Amino acid sequence: MVGGSGTDKRQLNILGGPTVILVRPQLAVNIGMCARAMANFGLSDLRLVSPREGWPRTGALRKGANAAAAGAVHLLEGAKLFDSLEEAIADLNFIWATTARERGQGKRVEAPELAMTETQKGMAGGAQHGILFGPERTGLSSDEVALADAIITFPVNPAYASLNLAQAVLLTGYEWFRAAHAGALPFATPERSQPATREMIVAFFDYFERKLEENGFFRPPSKRPSMQRNLRNMFHRMELTQQDVRTLWGAVVRLVEGPRLEAKARKLEKEAEGQPAEISTKTPVKKAVVKKAAKVSARKVVKKVAKKGVKTSAKKAARKSGSQ
């Protein structure tokens, strides 16, 4: 179902948008990459005007185009082929021409953001818009630009304004999708757990600092107050949630007490021997782990009792034999 990173065929495939017209494209790979850019932003009408080596491509050229499309092969297979630009735009109501150079034609010039906002409003009213993209080496000719209603140009470094064909389609498609879908992101920030209460945080500090003190962290003693404040301020800046505190507390407990099973077994052994167990009652321990630890400890106790019983029975038998 999933064809690659970020590609999921279980999701609704958005289609539509302005028509993309590639005028005299030269490379099959670039046509494939344009199809990929179109699919990224829900553009589905691809038209090709006099591709240099014909269309559809065959053999290695076809494989190269399909590979570059990265899952958008359906756009390549559905691309419409035209012999002239006039034929390709005959059914459209408004045409944008993309160019990096001012052509002296007195046409309105817009950045992709404003152009696609205008296109979204126009298409919502029933008009069909199209965007012209010229060949890789030369771009659109002045005569081809003359067929357009307005110009789209990109805010780029004026000393290096040349864009790859697929890059131009990508930037324009991005602005179209933003305009058409109000800039909605595909997913949101995951919901965090509830903020930790001050009581919970202070309890964690008390435990954490006590263990640090036991292991000689606060040295020299005169620096303890400032070191404590620094530590507490570090955690406060994190805006800890309840889950954050539980995770931090559990991590510190494991560092102090060692592996969970061994720590629990030691606790049960001490309880069996009537000694106080030095283990935090606030540490969350899974039931399965507790049961396993209890079994391990119980087996040890049973072995000790059994061994002691055997020795006692042997002594009784020896005393009885001696008395006889």
Side-chain angles (χ1 to χ4, degrees):
M1 298 296 288
V2 180
S5 178
T7 302
D8 191 344
K9 294 184 179 179
R10 294 169 295 189
Q11 301 295 328
L12 174 66
N13 187 20
I14 297 173
L15 301 173
T19 298
V20 172
I21 305 110
L22 305 184
V23 182
R24 295 177 282 111
Q26 297 172 295
L27 301 175
V29 169
N30 280 343
I31 297 174
M33 292 174 68
C34 287
R36 177 179 185 175
M38 290 175 63
N40 284 148
F41 300 110
L43 302 173
S44 54
D45 187 6
L46 174 62
R47 302 183 184 185
L48 307 175
V49 178
S50 300
R52 186 174 66 181
E53 296 174 350
W55 195 265
R57 298 289 168 81
T58 58
L61 292 175
R62 178 185 177 87
K63 290 181 180 179
N66 288 355
V73 177
H74 61 287
L75 294 181
L76 297 180
E77 293 175 345
K80 303 178 184 71
L81 180 64
F82 297 88
D83 293 326
S84 70
L85 179 54
E86 288 82 357
E87 291 176 332
I89 62 176
D91 62 330
L92 304 180
N93 306 113
F94 191 94
I95 309 296
W96 294 98
T98 60
T99 178
R101 302 187 306 277
E102 197 281 318
R103 302 303 182 98
Q105 298 190 20
K107 292 185 184 293
R108 179 163 56 93
V109 179
E110 300 289 359
E113 180 180 5
L114 294 178
M116 290 302 98
T117 298
E118 181 178 328
T119 287
Q120 190 277 327
K121 292 177 181 177
M123 293 187 69
Q128 182 59 38
H129 285 219
I131 312 166
L132 306 181
F133 297 90
E136 295 89 324
R137 189 174 65 84
T138 61
L140 294 169
S141 70
S142 294
D143 288 340
E144 289 163 345
V145 172
L147 293 172
D149 297 279
I151 289 174
I152 292 176
T153 196
F154 303 94
V156 294
N157 178 2
Y160 196 77
S162 177
L163 290 175
N164 174 273
L165 179 58
Q167 290 173 335
V169 173
L170 184 78
L171 290 173
T172 309
Y174 169 75
E175 294 297 350
W176 156 256
F177 201 82
R178 279 186 49 182
H181 300 279
L185 298 176
F187 56 89
T189 302
E191 185 177 348
R192 304 179 74 199
S193 69
Q194 292 295 316
T197 63
R198 194 58 43 183
E199 179 184 20
M200 189 178 189
I201 294 174
V202 170
F204 167 68
F205 286 159
D206 289 342
Y207 175 80
F208 184 45
E209 290 164 1
R210 185 170 68 253
K211 294 305 177 183
L212 289 175
E213 176 64 35
E214 290 174 3
N215 288 276
F217 178 76
F218 296 113
R219 295 290 182 273
S222 61
K223 292 288 186 69
R224 178 178 177 129
S226 63
M227 294 172 76
Q228 282 181 303
R229 283 193 297 270
N230 288 339
L231 284 170
R232 294 189 176 208
N233 285 333
M234 285 169 55
F235 287 115
H236 284 316
R237 286 194 292 269
M238 297 179 190
E239 299 181 356
L240 296 169
T241 65
Q242 294 179 17
Q243 183 59 52
D244 292 337
V245 174
R246 285 193 290 268
T247 300
L248 284 169
W249 201 322
V252 174
V253 168
R254 292 279 64 80
L255 289 172
V256 171
E257 299 178 354
R260 182 173 296 175
L261 181 60
E262 294 180 12
K264 191 62 183 177
R266 288 196 298 271
K267 176 189 173 184
L268 293 173
E269 285 180 8
K270 289 181 179 180
E271 288 177 348
E273 296 171 1
Q275 299 179 19
E278 297 178 358
I279 186 171
S280 171
T281 57
K282 296 182 181 180
T283 305
V285 182
K286 291 182 180 178
K287 292 181 180 180
V289 176
V290 172
K291 288 181 180 180
K292 189 173 181 180
K295 288 180 180 179
V296 172
S297 180
R299 285 198 295 269
K300 290 182 179 179
V301 172
V302 169
K303 286 182 180 180
K304 288 182 180 180
V305 172
K307 189 175 181 181
K308 186 176 181 180
V310 170
K311 289 182 178 179
T312 302
S313 299
K315 289 181 180 178
K316 287 183 179 179
R319 284 199 297 271
K320 186 175 180 180
S321 176
S323 62
Q324 291 175 354

